[in-house]
Amino acid sequence: MSDERAVDGHIIDEQARDPFARLRQFTRARIGLGRTGDALPTKELLNFQAAASQARDAVHAALDIDVLRKALMPRKCIEVGSRATNRQSYLLRPDWGRELGAGEDALDAARGEYDLVFVIADGLSARAAMNHSVAMLDACTARLSDWSMAPIVLATQARVGLGDAIAQRLGARMVAVLIGERPGLSVADSLGVYLTWAPQPGQADSLRNCISNIHTDGLSYERAATLLAWLAHEARQRKLTGTALKPDLSSQAGISDEHSSRLEENT
């Protein structure tokens, strides 16, 4: 039965008035926005402009290293930076974001034999890293408690590929980069995790596995961490990641078919 309401003694069928109303509860996409004359309704236009502003702000926001260090205590952290020394150069030169520009000495000093290193990177949304990386890291390490972990690396002006150089310097067999994904008009703080076996500079993106869309209204920390732990164990056993490592999500406990891993060049 459709929803009804009375206005001035007349019964108005809400479903007939707005057939998209029920569908909006299932998606964050902007559907059935309506129109006023030849334009969007004022409310929808303002919502769109606000979302666009939030996305721009997320791209230009800075990673607060001090806050992250405090949240990660007592775990040891190493701070590094890419060759891109500011946000403008980072956005104009993606290749610089994949090259180490600061922190090499600290990485060399911590070199060892590690199974895995976690890198928290700003990427294209420092807001995502600030909001979700610590909780995601906690969920992941709880599932990999018997692994040899390198110090956590906090990376600024970073692209995914910077994790390869970091892991190589530290002597880690695998790297998991927790990075802010490109903001959209529905989510400005989505986190992605990129897992790479035997990382080295210049690694092809096809040799990585990605778990994306981690945020409050997206993939939960628990589900994402369960999938990452499965991928990490399989990668260590099979000595590979990327397109050759495709988990059957329906067979993994706690992971549903609706969640998939994908790879994006933009980070």
Side-chain angles (χ1 to χ4, degrees):
M1 180 180 294
S2 60
D3 296 330
E4 296 180 344
R5 65 187 178 94
V7 177
D8 295 331
H10 299 283
I11 300 298
I12 296 178
D13 187 330
E14 288 292 337
Q15 182 65 18
R17 188 180 68 86
D18 183 4
F20 290 95
R22 290 185 177 180
L23 298 178
R24 291 193 186 96
Q25 65 182 305
F26 302 112
T27 178
R28 294 176 64 86
R30 288 175 168 78
I31 57 174
L33 300 184
R35 58 187 295 175
T36 300
D38 60 354
L40 286 172
T42 301
K43 177 182 177 181
E44 298 300 340
L45 178 60
L46 292 176
N47 287 339
F48 181 89
Q49 291 173 339
S53 296
Q54 290 175 350
R56 284 194 296 269
D57 289 346
V59 169
H60 292 281
L63 200 64
D64 194 327
I65 297 295
D66 291 337
V67 170
L68 283 177
R69 282 185 176 275
K70 184 175 181 180
L72 291 166
M73 289 179 62
R75 289 168 286 200
K76 181 180 178 181
C77 296
I78 298 174
E79 181 181 351
V80 304
S82 74
R83 184 181 170 190
T85 56
N86 55 59
R87 205 59 178 169
Q88 183 178 12
S89 61
Y90 171 82
L91 295 173
L92 293 176
R93 293 293 303 266
D95 55 323
W96 286 0
R98 303 182 184 102
E99 302 175 21
L100 274 170
E104 294 96 332
D105 291 344
L107 294 173
D108 291 341
R111 185 175 178 83
E113 294 186 5
Y114 305 110
D115 291 320
L116 178 64
V117 56
F118 281 99
V119 177
I120 296 177
D122 47 10
L124 289 169
S125 175
R127 176 179 165 187
M130 295 300 300
N131 289 352
H132 307 300
S133 62
V134 175
M136 182 61 191
L137 184 66
D138 289 342
C140 291
T141 53
R143 290 163 170 77
L144 300 169
S145 58
D146 59 336
W147 284 44
S148 173
M149 298 288 185
I152 299 166
V153 178
L154 309 178
T156 55
Q157 312 299 355
R159 302 274 175 174
V160 171
L162 188 65
D164 300 333
I166 290 170
Q168 188 178 62
R169 286 216 175 234
L170 282 171
R173 299 178 183 86
M174 238 182 303
V175 59
V177 180
L178 282 61
I179 191 167
E181 297 181 310
R182 177 189 294 159
L185 293 176
S186 58
V187 180
D189 67 336
S190 181
L191 187 76
V193 182
Y194 290 76
L195 183 70
T196 309
W197 169 264
Q200 55 184 330
Q203 194 96 325
D205 286 338
S206 60
L207 299 178
R208 313 184 197 282
N209 286 94
C210 173
I211 306 170
S212 65
N213 205 36
I214 303 167
H215 57 88
T216 304
D217 296 308
L219 188 62
S220 70
Y221 307 135
E222 297 302 313
R223 290 180 180 273
T226 298
L227 177 53
L228 179 70
W230 186 90
L231 287 168
H233 279 102
E234 288 295 309
R236 186 168 65 172
Q237 180 178 351
R238 298 167 59 179
K239 295 181 170 40
L240 57 83
T241 49
T243 56
L245 182 58
K246 298 179 180 180
D248 178 4
L249 300 186
S250 62
S251 68
Q252 303 305 312
I255 304 173
S256 64
D257 289 326
E258 65 184 276
H259 300 119
S260 61
S261 55
R262 63 185 173 88
L263 196 62
E264 294 179 331
E265 290 276 354
N266 67 83
T267 51

